[in-house]
Amino acid sequence: MQQTKTIGISAFALKGKAYFDLLKFRLSAFVALSGMFGYSLAVTRIEWLKLGLLFVASLAMTGSANIINQIIEKEYDKLMKRTAGRPLPTGRLTVQEAAIFAFVLFVVACYLFIVVFNLRACALSVLSLLLYGFVYTPLKRVGPIAVFVGALPGAFPPMIGWVAATNHYGLEPGILFAIQFFWQFPHFWAIAWVADNDYKKAGFKLLPSTGGKDEKTALQIMIYTLFLLPVGWLPYELGMTGINSAIVAMVCGILFLTQTFYLMRKRTDKAALQIMFGSFLYLPIVQIAFLLDKL
């Protein structure tokens, strides 16, 4: 009897772990934190309960989009080393279980956005899910246009956070969108460079140059990184933050840009990996600087 109970608990824990893995929690939490940044920058006084509920809503919507992506790419994920261990390719969860989980998360997210925040924020969040799950995902096997399309929902979170706080579209949330939009390209292309051989096994065509890991791809990574220098200055120009954060954004942008020059010169996976890690540092440092300067 005790052994049966132990087996039951173990099976329940494994199933729970599979759902957690399906959510892609670290990625979803990173996106949700970016939404919290937009909300915090927009308000004069932070309501911590609302901020927490925004995190939950954003996490749920992002998780739902991630699950849709994994359902569509189930067979392709089996072909790649980096994704073969996911819950759907391994059979730890069925497609039906994943679809139900995605729907529940979607409903929770919509409810929180509408009841706690506003319809505009909910609409942006739903649009983000549709673009990521049903447009970006199938385009990954078409060509690098997928990266441009994927950069749109990838840049929505801080804008959604701002709109959730203000119920207002405008130049300010547009600037937050622009910063994260241009950041997406060096970030994702660096990942695509490192994982290029794996991506090719699934037929994903994500690098911007037909030559793959060549100087043309490195040049485009550099160009999009260059855009971060002027757009990082705009929050100060609009009075959203102070001069200190503008300087931080400028310095971080220059350091980020120098990594792209190194990639252009070396064109190695190691150089691309440095850009990838640099992108993980750039965005949170700049966003925290904006918040601290506002305070």
Side-chain angles (χ1 to χ4, degrees):
M1 184 70 177
Q2 182 64 36
Q3 186 179 8
T4 303
K5 185 178 179 180
T6 302
I7 293 172
I9 293 172
S10 178
F12 181 80
L14 288 173
K15 184 68 77 170
K17 176 67 164 54
Y19 277 113
F20 183 80
D21 291 343
L22 192 70
L23 184 63
K24 295 173 73 172
F25 180 81
R26 282 188 297 178
L27 173 61
S28 298
F30 183 81
V31 172
L33 288 171
S34 191
M36 293 170 71
F37 154 72
Y39 176 90
S40 301
L41 199 63
V43 297
T44 54
R45 183 177 63 86
I46 294 176
E47 296 181 50
W48 294 103
L49 177 59
K50 277 193 171 185
L51 191 63
L53 290 174
L54 178 65
F55 177 83
V56 174
S58 301
L59 185 76
M61 189 66 79
T62 306
S64 182
N66 286 334
I67 294 169
I68 292 169
N69 170 271
Q70 290 173 80
I71 290 173
I72 294 173
E73 293 185 347
K74 175 189 172 186
E75 297 304 317
Y76 304 131
D77 281 347
K78 292 178 180 178
L79 304 175
M80 297 184 291
K81 183 179 179 181
R82 62 189 292 272
T83 57
R86 287 177 175 174
L88 293 180
T90 57
R92 289 184 287 149
L93 290 173
T94 65
V95 169
Q96 183 179 18
E97 288 173 325
I100 292 171
F101 188 37
F103 179 73
V104 170
L105 290 172
F106 176 77
V107 171
V108 169
C110 287
Y111 176 83
L112 289 174
F113 272 118
I114 292 172
V115 173
V116 180
F117 301 102
N118 54 72
L119 188 59
R120 287 176 175 171
C122 183
L124 277 177
S125 190
V126 171
L127 177 60
S128 177
L129 176 141
L130 293 174
L131 284 172
Y132 184 84
F134 299 106
V135 184
Y136 161 74
T137 297
L139 281 178
K140 287 167 71 175
R141 288 173 56 84
V142 174
I145 184 64
V147 178
F148 178 84
V149 174
L152 297 172
F156 273 16
M159 182 167 65
I160 292 171
W162 184 285
V163 174
T166 64
N167 196 20
H168 174 68
Y169 300 121
L171 195 55
E172 293 88 349
I175 294 304
L176 299 182
F177 168 86
I179 293 171
Q180 197 145 316
F181 177 77
F182 288 114
W183 169 84
Q184 295 278 321
F185 292 93
H187 168 72
F188 189 81
W189 278 333
I191 295 173
W193 184 300
V194 174
D196 186 50
N197 291 334
D198 219 17
Y199 279 148
K200 284 178 179 176
K201 294 175 185 176
F204 294 156
K205 306 167 185 177
L206 299 171
L207 290 176
S209 168
T210 54
K213 302 177 182 181
D214 61 9
E215 66 277 2
K216 292 181 180 178
T217 289
L219 177 63
Q220 293 198 52
I221 292 174
M222 184 276 290
I223 290 171
Y224 279 95
T225 307
L226 188 62
F227 280 111
L228 289 172
L229 299 182
V231 297
W233 197 264
L234 290 177
Y236 164 68
E237 293 294 335
L238 290 176
M240 297 164 62
T241 60
I243 187 65
N244 293 326
S245 58
I247 293 171
V248 170
M250 181 64 69
V251 170
C252 288
I254 291 171
L255 292 174
F256 198 10
L257 187 63
T258 58
Q259 291 183 311
T260 68
F261 292 140
Y262 184 70
L263 178 66
M264 290 176 66
R265 187 161 60 91
K266 294 293 186 179
R267 296 194 294 278
T268 62
D269 286 359
K270 181 181 178 181
L273 199 63
Q274 288 177 348
I275 292 177
M276 185 182 76
F277 286 124
S279 69
F280 282 126
L281 290 172
Y282 172 87
L283 197 63
I285 289 174
V286 170
Q287 289 181 343
I288 290 170
F290 285 153
L291 284 177
L292 291 176
D293 210 10
K294 180 198 171 189
L295 293 175

